[in-house]
Amino acid sequence: MSTLELQVFPKFVELSTGSRLYTERWQIGAVNPTRTLVFLHGLGASSGLFFPTIKPLLSLLPDTHVITYDHAGAGLSPPVDPSVSLSVSHMLADLEGLLAAEVSNGQIVLIAHSAGTILAARWLL
């Protein structure tokens, strides 16, 4: 089996909600993935929480991309305007906007930790 190099593409995504989210797209092989794993961290955390799991997952699923992001005001994502309420509804709108901007095809799989599970459940409903 050949060894494929892990690649990461960091960037900021501007959303119509007023959020500017720091994101990282991780991949090993596929340019056009059959699925995208989107990681949702909990309150008080950042997307760095998931770093140790990314390479092992992509080694098993080379046709997959991973997207990690920091919620507005967390990690490397700046806070939104103080007049904007950071609620579950706002975070859900951010997730919808991020998915629309960053996932063009294939299956979407949400992987969540702690309070990120609330967001994942709301998105699924």
Side-chain angles (χ1 to χ4, degrees):
M1 182 174 131
S2 66
T3 303
L4 298 172
E5 184 178 334
L6 181 65
Q7 297 176 304
V8 60
F9 303 96
K11 71 177 188 179
F12 284 91
V13 176
E14 305 274 346
L15 300 174
S16 63
T17 61
S19 296
R20 183 173 184 253
L21 303 180
Y22 175 77
T23 68
E24 293 178 343
R25 176 180 293 273
W26 299 79
Q27 65 189 60
I28 284 187
V31 173
N32 297 309
T34 59
R35 82 184 60 79
T36 302
L37 308 180
V38 180
F39 285 78
L40 309 171
H41 64 77
L43 297 177
S46 74
S47 59
L49 170 74
F50 301 111
F51 178 75
T53 62
I54 293 170
K55 187 172 183 177
L57 275 172
L58 288 176
S59 295
L60 295 170
L61 304 166
D63 60 340
T64 299
H65 284 188
V66 167
I67 295 176
T68 61
Y69 75 99
D70 292 333
H71 300 294
L76 295 175
S77 293
V80 295
D81 184 282
S83 65
V84 175
S85 174
L86 279 181
S87 62
V88 172
S89 296
H90 182 91
M91 294 170 71
L92 186 60
D94 280 352
L95 176 59
E96 289 282 354
L98 179 69
L99 294 176
E102 296 296 308
V103 181
S104 59
N105 64 314
Q107 179 185 29
I108 297 171
V109 178
L110 300 182
I111 300 174
H113 173 259
S114 189
T117 61
I118 296 168
L119 187 56
R122 287 282 305 271
W123 183 79
L124 290 169
L125 298 174

